[in-house]
Structure formats: structure tokens, C-alpha cells
Amino acid sequence: MVRIRCFIFSCIVGITALPSFSADTTTPAVNTVEKENPPTPTPTPKKTNYNYLPTSEIKQITIDNKQYDLLVRPWEGKKKLGTAIILPATNGTADSPGLMAFVRRNINPAGWASLGVTPPTEPPTANFATDATEVTSAGAAQLSAPSNKASLKVKPEDNNKHQQEQEDFLVKSMSQLDAIGADYAGKRILITADQSAGLLISLLSQKKIANPDVLIVINPYREDEQRNQALPELLAKLTMPILDIQSPDGHPASLETANHRKTLAVTLESPNYRQTTLALNLDNESAWQNCLNTIKGFAARMSGAQ
């Protein structure tokens, strides 16, 4: 009996000692000092993957200590008329898929070497946020923008700054093409589209870049309303032969000035200006071929390089 009592007493003492034993074996305190956030790495310029192109076709030019792609294709066949400088729409690449890439690859058999230029970029889309304290406040002039116009993406001062940066980029790009195109002597034709076309028209009117022998613009426009309305007069006052191609599915800003571009050129008796309407569906290569044929005929005839 005594042994049983001792055993029971031992069990009771052991059980009551467990909580204190557990308290003594707590895990080491976690270090609550936060680690300093590592510095954010500086983003490097995005490189376009041109592995599908021959390495001999890929060149680079340097602008403000950064390298940009320039795609060079020599002329083909017996004709050696000169060089076609091809500037795709803004925010694209030197080989942006579509009409401009098609022209770059297929104008060579007509006797034109091609220089595909990297176009300037567009600013990132602005994110407008409403402060939490203003959510329930009555808005002022909420519908001040015209219902038939796109909302402003950026502040006017920021937009002006970026437009200037785009123009500076193109001036620096164009100034380096003569050296690279020196192997392809002859006439120079400049083929460009959309906002890039609007930018080049502005630069040519300011005489910031050298006049080509022939200028070909496809759906030219400026996103800024005031600059876009001034575009027809700038285009009409240029002195080189101009082929102005307008497609029915072009940007609304380009369609808005198409008739004015044509009538003003006629009124000012612009030499060798021609406007033509062509369907340029993005998925229709036969339309691209029609456009290329129009470009080749106009360029050879107006440059005197036939």
C-alpha cells in the first residue's frame, strides 16, 4: 500500500512540474530588427531579340550612351537606286510586325537598300488616382473634356517635354544614317507612318534634319490636338516630292486632317504632292503589296532614279 501511495505521489509531482518545464524551454526570441531593403536595381534598356534575322543585318547606333538597333538590308538585283530609310510608328521596333516590316524586307529587289530605324517611344500611360478624402466630395468640372475627344494622358507640360525628347531622339538617329548608308550611294527616300510621320514632318519643316529626295508618309498624325491641326500646313510647305498614303482604318487623328492635307497642298501648289487612299488591313498582305507597288513607282519616278 505504501508503495502504491508513493507511486501516485510521484506521478502527481511529475504532472504539476510539466508547465514550468515547458516555460523554461521557450524558443529563442526572434530578432525583430528589420533588414534594410536592398537598393532597387537600375533598369537596363530593353533589348530586342532579333535572333530570327541574319547577324549581318543587325547594326547599332549610339544615342545618349545607349545603343539602339538599326536593321540594314542591301539592294538586290541589277538596280542600285539608293537607300530607303524606314521609320515605323512610335513605341515599336526597327522591325515592328506589319506593313513597315513588309516594306523593309521587300523593297530591296526594286533597287533600294533599306535602313530600318528604331522609332522613339511613347510615355507610359498615366495612372490618375483620387485621394481617399475626395471620394465623397462633389466634383468640379468633371465633364470639361469634349465627349468626342480622348482624355488627356499626361499633363500638357509633361507632354511638351516628351514631344521634345522624341524629336531630339530622331534628330540624333538621322544624323548617323549617312555613315552607315555610305555603301549604298544614290537617292534617299524616307518612309514613315503614324506619329513618327507627324514628328518627321515637324522636323523637316524646322530644317532640323536633311531633306530626303522623296518623302512617303502613311497615316500621319500628332496626338497633340494643336500640333495635329498644324500638320497639313507644315506638310504642304515642304518642297520635296511627297506621297501621302491614307488608309480608311487609319488613326482618327490622321483621318481628321486627310482632306485638309490634300486641299491645302493643292491650294499652295505644292510641287509633286500626291495623296492616295489605300486599304492597309493589318492581316492583309495583298494590301501591303499594293502599298509597296505604289511606293516603288512613286519613289523611282519622283527621284529620277529609274
Side-chain angles (χ1 to χ4, degrees):
M1 181 63 70
V2 174
R3 291 180 179 178
I4 294 175
R5 288 178 180 176
C6 290
F7 175 77
I8 293 173
F9 178 80
S10 299
C11 290
I12 292 172
V13 172
I15 293 173
T16 55
L18 284 176
S20 60
F21 178 78
S22 299
D24 293 336
T25 56
T26 54
T27 57
V30 177
N31 184 7
T32 58
V33 178
E34 294 183 358
K35 295 182 180 180
E36 293 184 1
N37 293 327
T40 303
T42 302
T44 56
K46 182 179 179 181
K47 296 293 183 181
T48 305
N49 187 349
Y50 288 125
N51 289 341
Y52 58 91
L53 296 176
T55 54
S56 59
E57 190 171 320
I58 305 168
K59 311 292 182 184
Q60 275 84 36
I61 58 176
T62 302
I63 301 174
D64 297 331
N65 298 320
K66 295 180 181 178
Q67 287 193 327
Y68 295 89
D69 297 306
L70 179 69
L71 304 182
V72 181
R73 287 176 61 88
W75 44 44
E76 298 175 11
K78 296 181 179 179
K79 285 186 178 182
K80 296 180 180 181
L81 305 181
T83 304
I85 300 167
I86 300 175
L87 178 66
T90 54
N91 241 30
T93 69
D95 196 39
S96 293
L99 172 64
M100 300 300 281
F102 179 85
V103 172
R104 188 185 73 80
R105 285 177 169 83
N106 293 281
I107 201 170
N108 313 113
W112 298 99
S114 59
L115 302 182
V117 182
T118 297
T121 60
E122 288 295 315
T125 302
N127 293 319
F128 296 103
T130 302
D131 189 87
T133 60
E134 298 295 326
V135 171
T136 58
S137 301
Q142 292 184 15
L143 301 178
S144 58
S147 59
N148 62 337
K149 300 292 183 182
S151 299
L152 292 176
K153 292 182 178 180
V154 294
K155 295 178 180 179
E157 57 270 24
D158 293 337
N159 181 57
N160 290 335
K161 178 182 177 183
H162 188 75
Q163 296 275 346
Q164 187 61 53
E165 290 173 348
Q166 289 180 317
E167 292 187 2
D168 291 344
F169 177 85
L170 286 178
V171 170
K172 293 172 183 177
S173 295
M174 295 295 166
S175 67
Q176 299 184 53
L177 299 186
D178 285 343
I180 296 177
D183 293 335
Y184 309 105
K187 302 296 183 178
R188 292 289 187 267
I189 60 175
L190 180 53
I191 307 171
T192 182
D194 299 326
Q195 280 210 79
S196 291
L199 286 164
L200 278 183
I201 290 169
S202 177
L203 292 175
L204 288 166
S205 69
Q206 299 174 65
K207 302 188 183 302
K208 289 187 176 181
I209 59 175
N211 285 349
D213 293 288
V214 176
L215 174 64
I216 296 168
V217 293
I218 303 170
N219 297 330
Y221 75 94
R222 300 294 297 271
E223 191 165 272
D224 178 81
E225 178 69 17
Q226 186 175 358
R227 288 183 174 92
N228 195 54
Q229 292 303 320
L231 200 63
E233 185 173 358
L234 298 181
L235 183 63
K237 289 182 176 180
L238 297 180
T239 57
M240 76 288 295
I242 299 169
L243 175 60
D244 182 356
I245 299 175
Q246 181 68 56
S247 65
D249 59 346
H251 192 281
S254 179
L255 291 167
E256 184 179 351
T257 65
N259 289 334
H260 192 200
R261 299 197 308 265
K262 183 175 182 179
T263 56
L264 192 58
V266 173
T267 302
L268 297 178
E269 299 181 351
S270 303
N272 303 323
Y273 173 91
R274 176 186 169 189
Q275 186 181 103
T276 186
T277 302
L278 290 174
L280 299 176
N281 308 58
L282 294 178
D283 58 350
N284 187 351
E285 286 198 16
S286 63
W288 300 348
Q289 186 63 53
N290 291 337
C291 183
L292 176 62
N293 292 340
T294 302
I295 290 172
K296 290 190 299 184
F298 186 86
R301 185 170 65 257
M302 291 300 179
S303 69
Q306 297 187 70

